[in-house]
Amino acid sequence: MRKSEIGGEGNQATALLNAAQDLFIEHGFHRTGVTEITERAGTSVGALYYHFGSKNEVYNALWSRYMETQAARAREAVTLLREAGVTDGRRLFLAGTRAYLSSAWDH
């Protein structure tokens, strides 16, 4: 298990993820090099391999982070309705789906 998976040295891992996300958006995955990621993050190539093992694993970590955020948004929408006394499953489902899809369109 890599340190980024257990929360150690999180600032460096987060900086790498943020830099990779920006570069993947700007240039695409295949046109972004590990050196570019680490330069933008202000770290070393060794740090990227230490935290993630490969550029593919950086992408996987970004995808996991995105999916966790999406799930949290959907969960929050459903929770708010439940706290307001809504018990209709269809309404709860639609609220969660709407929150998930709205966020997906924004990102």
Side-chain angles (χ1 to χ4, degrees):
M1 181 174 289
R2 304 216 180 271
K3 281 202 172 192
S4 60
E5 295 172 343
I6 58 173
E9 299 180 21
N11 290 338
Q12 195 172 57
T14 299
L16 287 162
L17 287 175
N18 292 340
Q21 180 176 333
D22 292 343
L23 288 164
F24 292 163
I25 290 168
E26 292 170 23
H27 306 292
F29 177 80
H30 292 292
R31 290 188 178 153
T32 299
V34 168
T35 303
E36 293 171 288
I37 295 169
T38 58
E39 285 175 358
R40 176 136 340 158
T43 65
S44 67
V45 171
L48 183 140
Y49 288 110
Y50 174 75
H51 288 288
F52 301 102
S54 70
K55 186 172 84 167
N56 286 340
E57 290 303 315
V58 171
Y59 181 86
N60 290 338
L62 283 170
W63 180 250
S64 293
R65 182 169 77 172
Y66 172 75
M67 293 305 298
E68 289 168 8
T69 301
Q70 291 294 95
R73 288 181 175 131
R75 193 170 33 255
E76 179 181 1
V78 171
T79 299
L80 287 172
L81 280 182
R82 283 186 174 151
E83 289 173 353
V86 175
T87 59
D88 178 31
R90 181 175 177 272
R91 286 186 60 198
L92 295 170
F93 171 78
L94 290 174
T97 301
R98 188 174 295 114
Y100 182 94
L101 292 176
S102 293
S103 179
W105 282 113
D106 291 341
H107 297 98

